[in-house]
């Protein structure tokens, strides 16, 4: 993947964000520093960054795709009412499937769906 100003701006924004932005959110933020960037350029670069492993995707229960730059091991809590995504940094054990199947797990993504405290209290 060749280096570009647009890709660097997109990656920097996602890496610094704690809110799991959508492509539209990334576009609006990056457009402030690169006014002539197009939404298509943002989508294309997001796809390449995911494919290359620089960022990951988190899909909410409303089927919106969110992007995340924090690649450290953690779990996601997704509220089914407000679609808020919360990161929880704790170790989760990988199952020992290798001894049964020969499949070597290299990473995992754990997502719990439920109702957040704010939505439960309203």
């Amino acid at each position: 993947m060749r280096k570009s100003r647009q890709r660097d701006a997109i990656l920097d924004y996602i890496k610094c964000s704690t809110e799991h932005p959508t492509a539209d959110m990334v576009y609006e933020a990056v457009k402030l520093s690169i006014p002539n960037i197009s939404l298509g350029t943002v989508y294309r670069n997001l796809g390449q960054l995911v494919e290359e492993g620089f960022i990951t995707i988190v899909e909410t229960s409303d089927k919106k795709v969110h992007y995340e730059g924090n690649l450290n091991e953690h779990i996601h809590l997704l509220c089914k009412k407000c679609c808020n995504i919360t990161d929880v940094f704790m170790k989760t054990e990988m199952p020992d499937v290798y001894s049964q199947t020969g499949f070597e797990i290299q990473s995992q993504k754990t997502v719990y769906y439920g109702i957040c405290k704010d939505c439960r209290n309203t």
Side-chain angles (χ1 to χ4, degrees):
M1 184 166 55
R2 78 180 171 88
K3 195 166 175 67
S4 76
R5 185 172 148 231
Q6 291 93 344
R7 186 173 297 109
D8 288 346
I10 291 166
L11 182 58
D12 287 345
Y13 174 72
I14 294 172
K15 288 278 189 187
C16 293
S17 176
T18 58
E19 59 184 347
H20 306 88
T22 63
D24 289 332
M25 293 167 69
V26 173
Y27 170 68
E28 291 299 326
V30 173
K31 191 168 70 166
L32 297 174
S33 61
I34 307 174
N36 63 340
I37 194 166
S38 71
L39 185 56
T41 297
V42 170
Y43 272 105
R44 187 172 45 261
N45 280 285
L46 287 170
Q48 291 173 346
L49 289 167
V50 168
E51 189 175 304
E52 294 292 324
F54 290 104
I55 62 175
T56 60
I57 290 175
V58 180
E59 191 173 328
T60 58
S61 56
D62 63 356
K63 300 299 180 201
K64 287 188 180 174
V65 174
H66 297 257
Y67 297 90
E68 177 172 53
N70 187 339
L71 303 179
N72 294 319
E73 186 176 328
H74 64 284
I75 63 173
H76 292 108
L77 307 177
L78 274 76
C79 180
K80 293 184 343 184
K81 277 191 168 184
C82 68
C83 296
N84 186 44
I85 304 168
T86 303
D87 290 334
V88 177
F89 293 89
M90 58 186 278
K91 286 269 189 194
T92 56
E93 293 297 317
M94 285 197 201
D96 181 21
V97 297
Y98 185 81
S99 62
Q100 294 178 18
T101 65
F103 185 85
E104 180 183 331
I105 297 174
Q106 296 178 341
S107 66
Q108 71 179 11
K109 186 185 289 189
T110 305
V111 180
Y112 294 100
Y113 297 88
I115 307 298
C116 70
K117 185 169 77 171
D118 292 339
C119 289
R120 278 195 337 269
N121 292 331
T122 58

